[in-house]
């Protein structure tokens, strides 16, 4: 059995790498890091695109002579494109590989930003934002699959945290920088400026992100135990069945199109994720995502900047630049989350596995969902502070707490999905994100109006209560997760065969 290196030399690698040098698990460290950090950089830009106009919604509503909700729904059309294409991009990635999808995504984001910058009216803006959503979809779900393809289990937790951090950094820095642009120049210039790093990301993805799709033949457990129990015996790789080939040259890896990776038709691949809705893990993840997005103003897709524009205008009479500066609190929260939990997630799972007789259980990841309580305290503290004339720094601190909980709990949920559903995680994450974005897009039509009618305090208390409910749902999943997975595993294993 192959083991890790350095301080991980005592860990049996899961999954077991093959003997093929082209296996992404066998790539040299620099190649893995170049691929991952390139995608992380692109994900930062991806995160910035959705909410960056948020600080200017009130200003733009006056400029266009429409309501704030109409401006929000027009720029929020990016969520419509993001959600719809989310289902298609994983199908294309499974059929034609990840590389071509990544290249198409960053190119489409680049072109659509130019379109937004030259848009003369609201309908043109809405259309351009839909196509931006098409381009953003891969970097919001496909990266999780790439992490699963190039890293072993004990390395995935920190990578998921970093990926979440990059998206959140874009979400918080985007509105911060854009607020100065829209206040001193124009709303169009912000889109012109973002095309510069997007053009760089196209260059980086082309040269540093090779194809990561690889068919690895693994031994199938016949012990009758849970199919998801990561024991040493169940993680052996049938390396004798792998054909060892020579390492591909660098130039050959630059090909945009490398053929197909499955004989299954596009139609069947598209419908493959739907049977997994019967999995308790998928149901829990989907409801957790949707509830957190809808009621907790998750910054991951830009709803917090959307509503914070209204909140800080009502409570503190802030202008666009001042509203943008409130995102500094979010930066503090996500930096703390990454610095603390990045190393802790992987170290913690290794430590828990040692205490569990050397056996790793995916439910170890759910322990980090405790971070959602930090967000609960943030929202409730913000709500109470609005009635006690809390200074703006207190509200910004509450935003930092909300960001901290989002990064940690988000990476824990995604990593749990990767560990429990492995190669099917790509399809499931796309399906979950589709539902999440459709719910969020609908919410853009009335979010600000709800805050204005119900008041900031009541709205924030609702958010805190719903986040507490999300955390409570993770408790039974931790206790009974292994049992329910063991019960439904034989059934779910057969369901995808219907679409093969």
């Amino acid at each position: 059995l192959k083991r890790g290196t350095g301080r991980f030399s005592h860990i049996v690698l899961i999954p077991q790498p093959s003997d093929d040098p082209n296996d992404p698990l066998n790539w040299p460290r620099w190649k893995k890091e170049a691929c991952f950090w390139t995608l992380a950089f692109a994900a930062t830009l991806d995160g910035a695109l959705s909410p960056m106009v948020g600080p200017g919604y009130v200003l733009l509503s006056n400029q266009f002579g429409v309501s704030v909700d109409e401006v929000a729904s027009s720029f929020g059309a990016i969520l419509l494109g993001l959600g719809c294409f989310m289902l298609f991009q994983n199908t294309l990635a499974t059929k034609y590989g990840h590389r071509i999808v990544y290249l198409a995504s960053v190119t489409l984001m680049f072109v659509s930003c130019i379109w937004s910058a030259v848009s003369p009216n609201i309908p043109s803006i809405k259309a351009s934002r839909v196509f931006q959503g098409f381009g953003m979809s891969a970097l919001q779900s496909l990266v999780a699959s790439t992490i699963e393809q190039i890293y072993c289990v004990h390395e995935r937790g920190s990578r998921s945290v970093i990926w979440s951090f990059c998206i959140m950094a874009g979400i918080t820095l985007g509105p911060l920088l854009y607020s100065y642009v829209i206040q001193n120049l124009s709303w169009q210039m912000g889109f012109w400026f973002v095309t510069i790093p997007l053009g760089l990301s196209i260059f980086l993805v082309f040269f540093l992100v090779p194809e990561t799709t690889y068919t690895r033949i693994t031994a199938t457990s016949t012990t009758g135990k849970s199919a998801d129990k990561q024991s040493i015996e169940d993680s052996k790789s049938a390396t004798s069945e792998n054909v060892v080939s020579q390492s591909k040259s660098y130039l050959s890896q630059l090909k945009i199109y490398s053929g197909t990776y499955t004989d299954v038709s596009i139609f069947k691949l598209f419908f493959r994720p739907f049977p997994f809705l019967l999995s308790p893990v998928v149901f829990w993840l989907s409801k957790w995502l949707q509830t957190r997005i809808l009621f907790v103003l998750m910054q991951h897709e830009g709803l917090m900047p959307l509503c914070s524009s209204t909140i800080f205008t009502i409570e503190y009479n802030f202008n666009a630049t001042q509203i943008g500066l409130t995102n500094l609190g979010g930066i503090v929260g996500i930096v703390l989350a990454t610095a603390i939990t990045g190393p802790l997630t992987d170290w913690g799972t290794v430590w828990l596995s040692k205490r569990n007789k050397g056996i790793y259980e995916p439910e170890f990841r759910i322990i980090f969902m405790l971070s959602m309580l930090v967000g609960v305290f943030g929202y409730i503290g913000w709500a109470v502070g609005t009635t006690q004339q809390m200074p703006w720094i207190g509200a910004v601190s509450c935003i930092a707490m909300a960001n901290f909980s989002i990064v940690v709990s988000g990476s824990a949920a995604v990593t749990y999905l990767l560990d429990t559903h492995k190669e099917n995680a790509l399809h499931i994450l796309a399906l979950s994100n589709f539902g999440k974005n459709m719910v969020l897009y609908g919410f853009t039509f009335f979010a600000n109006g709800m805050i204005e009618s119900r008041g900031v305090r009541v709205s924030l208390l609702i958010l805190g209560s719903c986040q507490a409910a999300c955390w409570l749902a993770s408790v039974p999943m931790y206790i009974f997760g292994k049992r329910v997975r063991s019960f439904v595993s034989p059934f779910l294993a057969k369901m995808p065969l219907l679409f093969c």
Side-chain angles (χ1 to χ4, degrees):
L1 292 177
K2 297 180 180 180
R3 297 176 179 268
T5 58
R7 61 192 180 95
F8 297 117
S9 59
H10 62 290
I11 296 177
V12 175
L13 297 180
I14 303 173
Q16 284 278 287
S18 67
D19 292 330
D20 187 352
N22 298 309
D23 184 345
L25 292 177
N26 290 327
W27 284 356
R29 176 60 58 181
W30 69 264
K31 188 174 181 179
K32 291 184 180 183
E33 298 303 319
C35 176
F36 173 77
W37 286 103
T38 297
L39 295 177
F41 173 70
T44 305
L45 301 175
D46 181 291
L49 279 179
S50 180
M52 70 179 190
V53 192
Y57 282 160
V58 176
L59 185 64
L60 286 170
S61 70
N62 297 326
Q63 179 178 332
F64 286 106
V66 296
S67 66
V68 175
D69 277 333
E70 186 171 346
V71 173
S73 62
S74 298
F75 281 95
I78 195 171
L79 300 168
L80 180 63
L82 177 61
C84 290
F85 199 69
M86 192 75 72
L87 292 177
F88 290 98
Q89 58 89 18
N90 73 297
T91 299
L92 297 175
T94 302
K95 183 73 173 181
Y96 303 107
H98 288 47
R99 175 174 167 80
I100 189 172
V101 176
Y102 283 134
L103 283 170
S105 294
V106 292
T107 302
L108 191 55
M109 284 195 293
F110 175 80
V111 173
S112 60
C113 276
I114 297 177
W115 182 359
S116 295
V118 299
S119 294
N121 50 46
I122 287 290
S124 179
I125 290 173
K126 184 176 293 187
S128 68
R129 294 286 277 181
V130 169
F131 279 90
Q132 281 180 25
F134 288 168
M136 289 170 57
S137 60
L139 294 165
Q140 295 212 7
S141 66
L142 200 58
V143 177
S145 176
T146 300
I147 292 174
E148 187 266 340
Q149 290 171 335
I150 66 178
Y151 292 108
C152 294
V153 167
H154 70 281
E155 302 171 304
R156 294 174 186 168
S158 59
R159 303 296 167 175
S160 296
V161 171
I162 293 173
W163 173 43
S164 297
F165 165 81
C166 290
I167 294 179
M168 293 295 296
I171 288 171
T172 51
L173 285 176
L176 171 62
L177 299 176
Y178 188 84
S179 63
Y180 284 96
V181 176
I182 194 173
Q183 187 77 27
N184 300 300
L185 297 174
S186 66
W187 67 267
Q188 293 95 336
M189 285 303 298
F191 287 100
W192 283 117
F193 286 147
V194 81
T195 58
I196 299 174
L198 279 175
L200 177 61
S201 68
I202 296 175
F203 177 84
L204 293 175
V205 169
F206 180 80
F207 287 103
L208 299 178
V209 182
E211 182 55 57
T212 58
T213 303
Y214 181 82
T215 303
R216 187 177 300 103
I217 304 174
T218 56
T220 303
S221 173
T222 58
T223 61
K225 298 179 181 179
S226 170
D228 291 303
K229 187 174 182 177
Q230 301 287 352
S231 64
I232 294 178
E233 292 80 7
D234 294 342
S235 65
K236 291 181 180 179
S237 175
T239 54
S240 60
E241 299 181 29
N242 283 310
V243 178
V244 180
S245 59
Q246 294 183 348
S247 178
K248 295 180 181 179
S249 66
Y250 175 72
L251 291 178
S252 67
Q253 296 178 42
L254 295 180
K255 292 191 300 183
I256 297 178
Y257 177 72
S258 302
T260 59
Y261 290 87
T262 178
D263 295 329
V264 182
S265 68
I266 290 288
F267 178 80
K268 292 181 178 179
L269 285 173
F270 176 78
F271 286 100
R272 178 176 286 181
F274 293 95
F276 288 98
L277 288 174
L278 300 175
S279 167
V281 175
V282 178
F283 182 79
W284 170 75
L285 177 69
S286 300
K287 294 305 176 184
W288 173 78
L289 281 174
Q290 293 176 19
T291 304
R292 189 176 69 163
I293 290 294
L294 180 59
F295 295 107
V296 190
L297 300 178
M298 180 182 177
Q299 290 192 4
H300 186 71
E301 303 300 345
L303 196 53
M304 176 70 89
L306 183 157
C307 295
S308 65
S309 178
T310 301
I311 291 174
F312 282 100
T313 300
I314 293 175
E315 292 292 320
Y316 304 103
N317 197 29
F318 278 10
N319 58 33
T321 301
Q322 292 170 319
I323 293 172
L325 286 172
T326 62
N327 287 277
L328 289 175
I331 288 291
V332 173
I334 62 177
V335 168
L336 287 175
T338 305
I340 296 174
T341 61
L344 185 62
T345 51
D346 288 332
W347 176 86
T349 52
V350 172
W351 184 84
L352 290 169
S353 299
K354 289 181 180 178
R355 300 301 182 277
N356 194 36
K357 300 179 180 179
I359 298 175
Y360 167 73
E361 300 286 358
E363 280 70 31
F364 294 160
R365 304 286 189 183
I366 301 180
I367 294 176
F368 295 95
M369 299 298 288
L370 283 168
S371 62
M372 296 191 73
L373 293 177
V374 179
V376 173
F377 296 142
Y379 287 120
I380 295 178
W382 193 356
V384 173
T386 58
T387 62
Q388 303 297 324
Q389 297 182 337
M390 179 176 63
W392 63 265
I393 189 64
V396 171
S397 300
C398 292
I399 291 178
M401 296 174 68
N403 274 266
F404 180 90
S405 68
I406 288 171
V407 172
V408 180
S409 61
S411 60
V414 171
T415 311
Y416 180 56
L417 175 65
L418 292 176
D419 292 349
T420 54
H421 287 78
K422 304 177 181 67
E423 66 276 1
N424 295 310
L426 167 62
H427 306 290
I428 297 167
L429 190 60
L431 190 62
S432 300
N433 277 316
F434 165 76
K436 174 196 68 177
N437 285 294
M438 290 300 96
V439 170
L440 182 54
Y441 177 61
F443 203 59
T444 61
F445 288 92
F446 59 85
N448 286 286
M450 182 192 75
I451 294 176
E452 290 176 344
S453 62
R454 289 182 174 270
V456 174
R457 179 176 177 274
V458 174
S459 299
L460 290 172
L461 286 175
I462 293 174
L463 302 179
S465 300
C466 291
Q467 177 136 336
C470 290
W471 171 75
L472 288 174
S474 66
V475 176
M477 179 56 71
Y478 175 79
I479 298 174
F480 302 106
K482 179 180 177 180
R483 297 180 185 178
V484 295
R485 288 191 293 108
S486 180
F487 179 75
V488 302
S489 179
F491 175 70
L492 292 176
K494 296 177 182 179
M495 288 298 291
L497 298 178
L498 299 175
F499 300 96
C500 295

